[in-house]
Amino acid sequence: ELKVEQNPLFLSMQEGKNYTIYCNYSTTSDRLYWYRQDPGKSLESLFVLLSNGAVKQEGRLMASLDTKARLSTLHITAAVHDLSATYFCAVDKRGGADGLTFGKGTHLIIQP
Amino acid sequence: EPEVTQTPSHQVTQMGQEVILRCVPISNHLYFYWYRQILGQKVEFLVSFYNNEISEKSEIFDDQFSVERPDGSNFTLKIRSTKLEDSAMYFCASSVTRAGEQFFGPGTRLTVL
């Protein structure tokens, strides 16, 4: 059974600081996704990471994937309040399974 | 920009009643999915659908659930006899390819009383 673990599950940080969210998964996968969810809202796709060593950046967010370590990171640079949200990583099992397995999410609060 | 739409946004029903949740995937997408999220918890996969048949389903997707693409645009999730524990947000998603990025709709909040 594929398991996806995120940490931390809750993070409160100040504006201007840097921090990293970690996502570990238990079985081989070549595809990892990061989503953002605002309270009461849907899931917004942030990054799709498709290969080992993939790195993608959008604004203050940067995501990377190490398939050998089964680890992805989401790095936040110089955080701003607007980045406050819950961030989920999700993994697609190798072998063609369709459904994504999500982590529990990291609830991020960025304080002024 | 094309987006996935879902109706209704909120559905309240009595335990034991049937509900149908509706989704309109992005028009050129071929793969369709349902997920649910119980309040405050993680998102859970229910079922995927391609070429008019289920391609994968999770343990949650038991005989009480069914999916259908009744026409060229709608994709529905039916729960035959709702239970209290079916209360959740239900998200529809679609993708162009099987391994492609999945785009999520705004969700339907189902409340079973």
Side-chain angles (χ1 to χ4, degrees):
Chain A
E1 179 191 351
L2 174 58
K3 293 184 180 177
V4 181
E5 293 188 359
Q6 284 181 243
N7 71 83
L9 297 181
F10 182 81
L11 177 59
S12 178
M13 56 191 291
Q14 288 187 315
E15 280 192 327
K17 300 290 186 183
N18 303 332
Y19 210 83
T20 301
I21 299 170
Y22 297 89
C23 175
N24 288 93
Y25 53 96
S26 60
T27 64
T28 305
S29 174
D30 291 326
R31 295 185 289 272
L32 190 135
Y33 308 80
W34 284 97
Y35 287 90
R36 168 182 172 149
Q37 185 179 39
D38 291 299
K41 303 292 186 182
S42 186
L43 295 150
E44 175 190 354
S45 178
L46 295 175
F47 300 108
V48 180
L49 303 170
L50 299 177
S51 61
N52 186 41
V55 177
K56 290 194 175 180
Q57 182 162 4
E58 180 75 33
R60 300 175 188 275
L61 300 178
M62 183 173 71
S64 66
L65 177 62
D66 181 343
T67 58
K68 293 178 182 175
R70 297 178 187 166
L71 171 68
S72 179
T73 60
L74 179 66
H75 186 72
I76 304 156
T77 302
V80 293
H81 178 68
D82 286 352
L83 291 178
S84 296
T86 299
Y87 293 86
F88 291 94
C89 66
V91 177
D92 188 354
K93 281 187 292 187
R94 179 182 282 184
D98 302 326
L100 299 180
T101 300
F102 281 78
K104 291 185 177 179
T106 296
H107 184 50
L108 175 64
I109 296 176
I110 300 169
Q111 299 173 347
Chain B
E1 185 175 331
E3 56 184 20
V4 177
T5 60
Q6 290 185 243
T7 54
S9 57
H10 190 191
Q11 174 95 44
V12 181
T13 189
Q14 295 289 327
M15 190 168 56
Q17 295 296 304
E18 174 183 287
V19 294
I20 297 176
L21 310 182
R22 292 182 168 79
C23 167
V24 178
I26 296 173
S27 61
N28 65 329
H29 287 193
L30 302 176
Y31 295 81
F32 315 119
Y33 315 85
W34 284 102
Y35 293 82
R36 79 172 185 190
Q37 184 180 33
I38 295 171
L39 186 63
Q41 298 187 25
K42 68 176 182 180
V43 178
E44 299 173 293
F45 168 71
L46 294 178
V47 66
S48 59
F49 192 85
Y50 169 71
N51 199 26
N52 281 322
E53 61 183 28
I54 291 173
S55 55
E56 187 196 13
K57 59 183 180 179
S58 72
E59 292 177 352
I60 304 168
F61 194 87
D62 60 21
D63 291 345
Q64 292 297 317
F65 292 89
S66 62
V67 289
E68 192 179 32
R69 188 156 164 83
D71 54 43
S73 60
N74 290 283
F75 178 50
T76 62
L77 174 69
K78 181 192 290 186
I79 309 175
R80 288 190 184 81
S81 177
T82 50
K83 307 181 188 74
L84 295 176
E85 54 265 36
D86 292 328
S87 294
M89 183 74 93
Y90 287 81
F91 292 107
C92 173
S94 68
S95 63
V96 176
T97 62
R98 189 176 191 185
E101 186 176 6
Q102 294 182 21
F103 293 86
F104 283 74
T108 293
R109 179 167 298 284
L110 176 65
T111 302
V112 182
L113 302 175

